[in-house]
Amino acid sequence: MIIKSLEIYGYGQFVHRKIEFNREFTEIFGENEAGKSTIQAFIHSILFGFPTKKEKEPRLEPRMGNQYGGKLTLILDDQSEIVVERVKGNISGDVKVYLENGLIRDETWLKKKLNYISKKTYQGIFSFNVLGLQDIHRNLDEDQLQSYLLEAGALGSSEFTMMNKMVSQKKTTLYKKAGKNPILNQQLDELKSLEAQIREEESKLDEYHRLVDDRDKSQRHLEHLKANLNQLSKMHESKQKQLAIHEQAQEWKDLEQKLNIEPLSFPEKGIERYETASNYKQSLARDISLREEKLKQLENEFNAIPALNEDTANHIYHLTRDENEIQQAEMKSSSLKQEIDDYERQEADLKTSIGWQEVYHNTDTSESMKNYVSKTIKTRNEQKVLKQQIERAIDENQIEQNTLSQEIENLEKDLVSEDSLDKKKHYNQQKLELHEKENLYNKLKDTFNSDKERKQKRNWWLRLSFIVLSIVGLGLTLFSFVTQNLIFGVIFAILTVIFIVGTFLVKTKEIDYSESISEEINDLEQQINDLESNYDLNFDLDQQFQLRERWSNASNNKSVLANKLNHQENLLQNTEQQINDLTQKLNAVKENVKVPNEMTDDLLIDSFKTMNQLKSNDSYRSKLLDQHQQVNQKLTHFYDKALKNTENEITPFNKASLFNDMKNWISKYESNKEKKEQLKSQIELLSNELKQLKEQLEENEKTINTLFTYINVSSEEAYYQSYEQYQLYHQQLARFNDLTAYLENQNFSYEDSSNLSEKTTAQLEEEDALLAKQVDAYNDQYLDKQTEVSDLTAQINYMETDKTLSKLRHEYYNLKNRMNDLAKDWASLSYLEALINEHIKQIKDKRLPQVINEAVNIFTALTQGNYNMITYENDTIMVKHNNGQMYHPLELSQSTKELLYIALRISLIKILRPYYPFPIIIDDAFVHFDKQRKSMMLNYLRELAKDYQVLYFTCMKDTAIPSKEMLILNKLEEGGKR
């Protein structure tokens, strides 16, 4: 993934700022407070969300009320380009991801594309800064430094180790074997104490249990009595219920016998239908009579209206249709006369404004001529402006030349000679070489001293062994000669002599290890002293390089300005010549179009419009005269025709009121015509209504006959009697159904209701009295047993007033539950600790060997082959010098330790490339490096940038970086403006 560019809407001190990055290496240079850290925080915020209160990072919201957020343009591994925009919304911001195909995705899609990496993990792996490297130089012991380097090479961050440490501490606060202060240890002691107190209280429960058993037996007997009493009470209630509904049961039985006949029938809504039909019959007869009278009246009115003349009406209609046209012709004639007079006055004014005495139709006043004149005037004005600009540029050029000359003179005063510059370079190189050899001398001295002590100790023990052997051999030799064993005596004598000689030959060999290095150091110091005494080297080499670069740039700029001045002077002469030529062309045009030479340029262009308007107006005025004559002829023809067609109907004939007279005649004609048509329509309508009413009357009589036929009656009185019998039958049926529903609601079946109706009231009252007597007897027994249970309960309650045992048990179970919860927490923490340790072990076993192998190549390259091996055994990292010595990281110099840390981090980035192909961000991480090592580090990063995008933020500008790979940030004023 590559960050192509970023655009800041509002973030920290930046407002509306856009920055483009190279696809490979980009050095972002800026002084302190120029915004380097703000840009890094912006990149992290857009990718992973704005900081929250838990992250303890500043949100950097703009103070001027601008929109908070911005967007990043990213190039993915498949070379597709996306835009990630995050603005203020929820706590971490609202995200939109714009794809190339126009689709818009959300933060879930972005997290998946980033392979769910967190901001902290990204910063721990892909972001370098000076604070991270300074952690190496804290007062760390061997284990702490090893752990720090392993986190850099295997885990990428300290999240897992910190989590493991936090889990272990939490477990210790919960439980510790043979401990006293942890929570579970204290609760176990308290639980044992409660168990002893509970056993003591439980011994007092025997009497209590006996009373409880007696009370339970009495309560069971009491419940049995209560059940029997309830059963008798229900029987008594049922008997009382039978007494209450006995009368309804007898009524129900009587109705059942009465309704045991064939059901009566009657037409549905028969009375309403009959009465409606009868009333409707009377209404129809009355309506028919009224309509017949109305029909005779309308026929008399229709015959009274006179006949109409259709031909005369058609002629007048045709004439009225031309009313608008004739009125428009009248108005057009008047307006044409007025317009002709206006054009004659306007033409006289236009001639006066341009100095014409007449209209010259043959002059060239076309749009092309106007454009030619306008273009000529515009070109002459542009040349005048160009002349002013050239004169102003010549003045500025001369000022710049004077400024550059003064700058070159000042720079030459500060420059040193080339010989002094070369000596200064040689001096710096020798000082660096002297420093490195002094470090090597000190290291070799310690090594050779320890080796010398070890060899002296070994020789001392060897000499002591030879002395002891010589004494033993001498004793054996004397013993052999005393015992006359000459062969062994000779052998022991020879061995004794060898041991004695060996005692004197064993000596410590002196090695002069420091002579050659000391001579080299002395030579370097002598050369440095000679340079300091013979040359003035008290100047900054980098500053001299910058001064030389400025002198060269100023000289080049001065030469360029001189050439530019010659070009501008030639351009000024050509411009003046063009202005004179254009003025002559304009004077020729004025003569051709018959205008005075004194007319200004603006008036000349406007006069073309005036000339064309004069020509157009003159032609148009001629057309208006022709139109006026044609309109007058049309009006004369119309009035002659109107007089001929209306001479018998409209008198007298008047042109002014002609159309009004025709409208009055047509209104009267249409009124008579409409009235006659309305009468005719009403007559037809009444005829149709009479026919329909007679048909409805026949239908209504059929309906009445149908109702009578349904129940076999022939008169209205018989029809009403049948209806009363039908109603009585249904009333009795409804009462029977209501009584049936009532008895069923009282849970009485057909048989129960029939049986109840057969009994007398005296029988039911006798049965009710017997049940009441039995209920009273059982109630007395229940009250006696209830008194006995109350006495036992009082004794038990008296013993239960002592709440000690229940309180102890409550405390015991509460404590036990709390212990179980804490034990579950402790077990969960143990499981989590095991998972973390196993995860760290798997990462070390699988990833760390790959990281170490890759880190060897990087570390060898960064140290220029001084260190050629990194080993990892028994959770310990060691490095090997090219002289064969193995060093612990604590024994390395400050910058070499940083190189080892960087090598492990870069190696981890390469191993994680298939999963996290992200750009590398470095923030002034090489402040402890000397110039040579820093240059070597930057060269390696530029080489690394072929595979990974590298963004290098620094406040120290490096002259070795090409300008195309450098981005310069300037300090911003308040509000984000330069």
Side-chain angles (χ1 to χ4, degrees):
M1 185 178 75
I2 295 174
I3 301 176
K4 181 180 179 182
S5 65
L6 62 84
E7 183 176 348
I8 301 175
Y9 303 155
Y11 196 86
Q13 59 179 329
F14 290 110
V15 175
H16 300 301
R17 185 73 181 273
K18 186 172 183 180
I19 298 176
E20 302 280 344
F21 298 110
N22 295 325
R23 293 174 68 95
E24 296 180 356
F25 181 85
T26 305
E27 177 179 306
I28 298 94
F29 165 72
E31 298 178 356
N32 293 332
E33 297 185 0
K36 301 187 296 299
S37 300
T38 303
I39 292 176
Q40 297 175 55
F42 175 78
I43 293 174
H44 295 154
S45 296
I46 297 300
L47 291 177
F48 303 103
F50 297 130
T52 60
K53 293 181 179 179
K54 295 181 180 179
E55 296 180 19
K56 298 181 180 179
E57 294 182 15
R59 284 177 64 86
L60 298 178
E61 294 192 29
R63 298 189 177 185
M64 302 302 292
N66 299 91
Q67 186 179 15
Y68 180 42
K71 61 183 179 181
L72 289 179
T73 302
L74 306 177
I75 300 176
L76 303 181
D77 291 345
D78 58 0
Q79 299 305 310
S80 63
E81 188 172 303
I82 65 173
V83 178
V84 181
E85 181 184 50
R86 188 183 296 270
V87 295
K88 187 174 182 180
N90 57 38
I91 189 168
S92 61
D94 293 336
V95 178
K96 289 184 180 178
V97 182
Y98 300 92
L99 307 185
E100 286 183 329
N101 56 11
L103 296 178
I104 300 177
R105 302 297 186 186
D106 56 5
E107 188 161 11
T108 304
W109 186 90
L110 178 61
K111 288 182 179 179
K112 182 178 180 182
K113 208 66 181 175
L114 297 177
N115 205 2
Y116 302 101
I117 190 172
S118 65
K119 182 196 292 187
K120 188 173 182 182
T121 304
Y122 178 84
Q123 292 173 336
I125 298 176
F126 296 93
S127 291
F128 295 78
N129 56 41
V130 67
L131 298 177
L133 295 179
Q134 284 178 353
D135 289 341
I136 300 176
H137 312 305
R138 294 178 301 178
N139 295 325
L140 303 177
D141 56 24
E142 291 187 12
D143 294 337
Q144 291 172 335
L145 182 58
Q146 288 288 346
S147 176
Y148 190 80
L149 292 174
L150 288 175
E151 288 171 359
L155 306 177
S157 65
S158 61
E159 290 185 44
F160 288 108
T161 54
M162 292 297 293
M163 190 187 302
N164 194 14
K165 184 177 180 181
M166 183 174 63
V167 169
S168 178
Q169 291 176 351
K170 185 65 177 177
K171 279 181 62 181
T172 305
T173 59
L174 290 178
Y175 177 75
K176 185 177 181 182
K177 191 175 182 181
K180 293 183 179 180
N181 294 326
I183 300 173
L184 278 173
N185 295 87
Q186 294 178 4
Q187 290 183 350
L188 282 171
D189 295 338
E190 186 178 352
L191 193 66
K192 291 177 182 178
S193 175
L194 287 174
E195 286 177 347
Q197 296 178 32
I198 289 171
R199 284 195 296 271
E200 182 179 353
E201 290 294 328
E202 284 178 347
S203 62
K204 303 176 182 179
L205 293 178
D206 293 339
E207 178 66 19
Y208 173 78
H209 289 312
R210 184 186 65 78
L211 292 173
V212 170
D213 292 339
D214 293 341
R215 185 185 65 178
D216 292 341
K217 292 177 183 179
S218 298
Q219 284 181 340
R220 286 194 294 272
H221 188 200
L222 182 64
E223 290 174 357
H224 179 68
L225 289 173
K226 184 177 181 181
N228 292 337
L229 180 61
N230 290 335
Q231 186 176 3
L232 285 172
S233 298
K234 289 180 180 178
M235 291 174 65
H236 186 223
E237 291 175 358
S238 177
K239 189 59 65 178
Q240 289 180 338
K241 190 175 182 182
Q242 290 178 359
L243 276 170
I245 65 174
H246 180 252
E247 183 178 352
Q248 287 84 352
Q250 289 181 338
E251 182 184 359
W252 171 78
K253 198 66 177 178
D254 292 340
L255 288 173
E256 182 183 23
Q257 294 174 357
K258 290 179 181 179
L259 293 173
N260 192 13
I261 60 174
E262 183 179 354
L264 298 178
S265 62
F266 195 80
E268 185 179 357
K269 297 183 179 179
I271 295 300
E272 292 85 350
R273 289 165 63 189
Y274 173 74
E275 292 178 349
T276 301
S278 178
N279 294 332
Y280 189 47
K281 179 181 177 181
Q282 297 174 5
S283 175
L284 288 173
R286 186 172 57 254
D287 290 343
I288 289 171
S289 176
L290 292 173
R291 280 167 173 75
E292 287 176 345
E293 293 179 359
K294 181 68 175 178
L295 181 60
K296 291 179 181 180
Q297 181 182 356
L298 291 174
E299 288 175 348
N300 294 330
E301 291 179 1
F302 181 79
N303 296 325
I305 297 174
L308 302 175
N309 189 351
E310 294 289 337
D311 294 334
T312 303
N314 291 332
H315 288 306
I316 294 175
Y317 272 124
H318 286 299
L319 290 172
T320 55
R321 289 195 192 103
D322 296 334
E323 179 181 7
N324 291 332
E325 185 177 353
I326 297 303
Q327 288 177 353
Q328 289 177 2
E330 293 280 0
M331 289 188 292
K332 186 175 181 181
S333 176
S334 177
S335 64
L336 285 173
K337 179 63 178 173
Q338 182 66 34
E339 193 173 357
I340 290 169
D341 294 340
D342 292 341
Y343 271 97
E344 289 176 350
R345 288 193 299 272
Q346 185 179 5
E347 186 175 321
D349 294 337
L350 292 174
K351 288 178 184 178
T352 304
S353 65
I354 61 173
W356 276 13
Q357 301 300 323
E358 58 178 326
V359 179
Y360 300 102
H361 288 278
N362 295 328
T363 57
D364 186 4
T365 58
S366 62
E367 190 67 27
S368 59
M369 175 59 74
K370 180 181 178 181
N371 291 337
Y372 169 74
V373 173
S374 176
K375 185 176 180 181
T376 303
I377 293 172
K378 181 180 178 182
T379 305
R380 187 178 67 175
N381 292 336
E382 290 175 351
Q383 292 298 323
K384 290 180 179 179
V385 173
L386 179 60
K387 178 183 176 182
Q388 296 175 357
Q389 292 176 350
I390 294 171
E391 291 173 347
R392 186 165 55 251
I394 291 172
D395 295 337
E396 292 175 354
N397 195 331
Q398 291 174 349
I399 294 171
E400 289 182 4
Q401 284 191 13
N402 295 333
T403 304
L404 288 173
S405 299
Q406 183 65 32
E407 183 181 358
I408 291 171
E409 183 179 350
N410 294 334
L411 289 173
E412 288 175 349
K413 293 178 181 179
D414 297 333
L415 289 173
V416 299
S417 63
E418 291 293 336
D419 185 40
S420 298
L421 190 66
D422 293 337
K423 295 301 181 182
K424 180 67 175 183
K425 291 180 183 177
H426 186 57
Y427 172 78
N428 289 342
Q429 291 175 355
Q430 287 186 335
K431 284 198 72 174
L432 178 62
E433 185 178 356
L434 174 63
H435 177 69
E436 291 179 350
K437 287 189 176 181
E438 285 177 347
N439 291 337
L440 178 62
Y441 173 78
N442 293 329
K443 292 180 181 178
L444 290 175
K445 182 178 179 182
D446 295 337
T447 302
F448 287 141
N449 287 336
S450 60
D451 189 43
K452 180 178 178 182
E453 291 177 359
R454 182 174 54 79
K455 289 182 178 179
Q456 286 177 350
K457 187 175 182 181
R458 186 191 63 186
N459 291 336
W460 184 83
W461 281 105
L462 187 60
R463 189 180 294 110
L464 181 62
S465 300
F466 279 137
I467 293 172
V468 172
L469 291 173
S470 299
I471 294 172
V472 173
L474 181 60
L476 292 173
T477 302
L478 294 175
F479 177 74
S480 299
F481 282 115
V482 170
T483 57
Q484 296 182 356
N485 193 345
L486 298 179
I487 296 174
F488 284 103
V490 172
I491 294 171
F492 286 133
I494 293 170
L495 290 174
T496 302
V497 172
I498 291 172
F499 292 148
I500 293 172
V501 172
T503 301
F504 291 102
L505 291 178
V506 174
K507 294 182 179 179
T508 301
K509 183 179 179 181
E510 298 293 335
I511 301 175
D512 189 3
Y513 61 88
S514 62
E515 182 177 353
S516 60
I517 296 178
S518 297
E519 290 177 356
E520 292 179 4
I521 292 173
N522 292 332
D523 290 341
L524 286 173
E525 289 177 345
Q526 182 63 38
Q527 292 176 13
I528 290 171
N529 292 331
D530 292 342
L531 288 172
E532 290 177 347
S533 60
N534 295 331
Y535 299 95
D536 183 13
L537 303 179
N538 189 18
F539 60 87
D540 188 354
L541 188 60
D542 291 337
Q543 185 180 8
Q544 286 297 317
F545 281 128
Q546 293 176 0
L547 289 173
R548 273 171 165 71
E549 185 178 359
R550 288 174 58 191
W551 180 84
S552 176
N553 293 336
S555 300
N556 294 334
N557 291 337
K558 184 177 180 182
S559 177
V560 170
L561 289 174
N563 295 331
K564 187 176 179 181
L565 179 61
N566 293 331
H567 174 70
Q568 290 171 343
E569 290 175 349
N570 294 331
L571 188 61
L572 180 61
Q573 294 177 358
N574 294 333
T575 303
E576 291 174 346
Q577 181 62 35
Q578 290 182 11
I579 291 172
N580 295 330
D581 295 341
L582 291 170
T583 302
Q584 293 176 1
K585 290 179 180 180
L586 289 174
N587 292 331
V589 171
K590 291 178 181 178
E591 184 177 355
N592 291 332
V593 296
K594 311 296 183 183
V595 297
N597 290 333
E598 294 80 9
M599 184 177 287
T600 61
D601 294 341
D602 294 337
L603 292 177
L604 177 61
I605 295 174
D606 293 338
S607 67
F608 276 90
K609 181 178 179 182
T610 305
M611 296 174 199
N612 290 327
Q613 189 174 358
L614 274 171
K615 293 178 182 179
S616 176
N617 288 353
D618 190 58
S619 300
Y620 187 62
R621 187 173 61 83
S622 298
K623 292 180 181 179
L624 291 176
L625 289 171
D626 296 338
Q627 290 178 7
H628 186 259
Q629 184 178 0
Q630 291 175 1
V631 170
N632 289 334
Q633 291 176 356
K634 181 179 179 180
L635 290 172
T636 302
H637 175 72
F638 173 80
Y639 287 123
D640 292 341
K641 180 180 178 181
L643 178 61
K644 179 181 179 181
N645 291 327
T646 60
E647 59 183 354
N648 295 326
E649 299 292 336
I650 300 175
T651 56
F653 182 81
N654 187 357
K655 293 182 179 180
S657 62
L658 175 63
F659 288 104
N660 188 38
D661 294 339
M662 288 192 296
K663 287 179 181 178
N664 292 333
W665 187 91
I666 289 172
S667 176
K668 183 178 179 181
Y669 169 80
E670 289 180 347
S671 176
N672 292 332
K673 183 178 180 180
E674 183 180 0
K675 188 175 181 181
K676 197 163 188 177
E677 289 177 353
Q678 287 177 354
L679 290 172
K680 184 178 180 181
S681 175
Q682 289 176 4
I683 291 170
E684 292 177 352
L685 181 62
L686 280 174
S687 299
N688 293 330
E689 286 181 357
L690 279 171
K691 183 179 178 181
Q692 291 176 358
L693 288 172
K694 290 178 181 179
E695 291 175 353
Q696 290 175 4
L697 181 60
E698 292 177 359
E699 290 291 333
N700 193 57
E701 290 176 348
K702 290 180 181 179
T703 300
I704 293 173
N705 292 331
T706 302
L707 292 174
F708 285 176
T709 304
Y710 186 82
I711 58 174
N712 295 322
V713 297
S714 59
S715 64
E716 181 177 337
E717 183 179 358
Y719 187 79
Y720 278 107
Q721 288 177 356
S722 298
Y723 177 68
E724 290 175 357
Q725 293 174 0
Y726 175 79
Q727 274 190 323
L728 177 61
Y729 172 80
H730 279 281
Q731 287 175 357
Q732 291 177 347
L733 181 61
R735 176 61 179 169
F736 177 77
N737 291 333
D738 291 341
L739 290 173
T740 303
Y742 174 74
L743 293 172
E744 289 177 353
N745 290 336
Q746 298 297 326
N747 297 323
F748 278 81
S749 63
Y750 180 82
E751 290 79 7
D752 294 337
S753 300
S754 299
N755 293 334
L756 180 61
S757 64
E758 293 174 357
K759 289 185 178 182
T760 63
T761 304
Q763 292 175 341
L764 293 174
E765 289 176 350
E766 184 180 353
E767 292 174 358
D768 180 63
L770 179 60
L771 288 171
K773 186 175 181 181
Q774 293 176 352
V775 167
D776 291 338
Y778 264 95
N779 194 32
D780 293 339
Q781 294 179 19
Y782 178 78
L783 291 175
D784 293 340
K785 185 56 70 175
Q786 192 176 34
T787 302
E788 182 182 348
V789 171
S790 298
D791 294 339
L792 291 172
T793 302
Q795 296 179 29
I796 292 170
N797 290 336
Y798 177 75
M799 295 185 70
E800 288 178 347
T801 53
D802 186 5
K803 301 294 183 180
T804 303
L805 180 60
S806 61
K807 183 178 179 181
L808 290 172
R809 284 178 174 171
H810 179 71
E811 292 180 359
Y812 175 81
Y813 286 113
N814 282 342
L815 181 60
K816 192 172 182 180
N817 290 333
R818 292 200 304 272
M819 284 183 61
N820 289 335
D821 294 338
L822 291 174
K824 290 178 182 178
D825 294 342
W826 186 84
S828 300
L829 290 172
S830 300
Y831 179 70
L832 182 60
E833 184 180 27
L835 286 178
I836 294 172
N837 290 331
E838 182 63 24
H839 183 68
I840 293 174
K841 182 176 180 299
Q842 288 180 1
I843 291 176
K844 288 182 178 179
D845 294 343
K846 182 179 179 180
R847 184 188 298 168
L848 195 56
Q850 301 176 3
V851 174
I852 293 295
N853 291 336
E854 182 65 31
V856 170
N857 300 328
I858 300 172
F859 192 54
T860 302
L862 294 179
T863 59
Q864 294 182 325
N866 292 332
Y867 295 89
N868 53 23
M869 181 65 72
I870 301 175
T871 62
Y872 174 71
E873 293 180 0
N874 299 326
D875 291 337
T876 302
I877 292 178
M878 300 287 288
V879 295
K880 182 179 180 182
H881 197 270
N882 58 7
N883 61 8
Q885 293 290 330
M886 299 296 294
Y887 292 98
H888 189 278
L890 282 176
E891 299 175 318
L892 301 176
S893 66
Q894 178 174 335
S895 62
T896 307
K897 277 192 287 187
E898 292 181 1
L899 285 177
L900 176 60
Y901 175 80
I902 292 171
L904 291 170
R905 284 284 292 274
I906 295 177
S907 175
L908 177 61
I909 291 173
K910 289 185 175 182
I911 297 301
L912 295 178
R913 175 65 184 273
Y915 313 104
Y916 304 109
F918 300 139
I920 303 172
I921 299 176
I922 302 173
D923 183 12
D924 255 351
F926 313 130
V927 296
H928 297 136
F929 290 1
D930 56 30
K931 184 176 181 181
Q932 181 182 2
R933 182 161 283 183
K934 182 178 179 181
S935 176
M936 177 188 62
M937 188 71 228
L938 290 178
N939 290 334
Y940 179 79
L941 289 177
R942 293 176 66 193
E943 187 67 25
L944 180 66
K946 294 179 180 179
D947 298 320
Y948 304 86
Q949 185 187 27
V950 178
L951 304 180
Y952 175 54
F953 294 84
T954 180
C955 62
M956 302 293 291
K957 188 175 182 182
D958 198 303
T959 57
I961 302 299
S963 60
K964 66 179 182 180
E965 296 181 1
M966 185 177 296
L967 178 66
I968 299 177
L969 295 177
N970 296 319
K971 284 188 177 181
L972 302 180
E973 298 177 359
E974 186 67 26
K977 299 180 180 178
R978 292 187 180 279

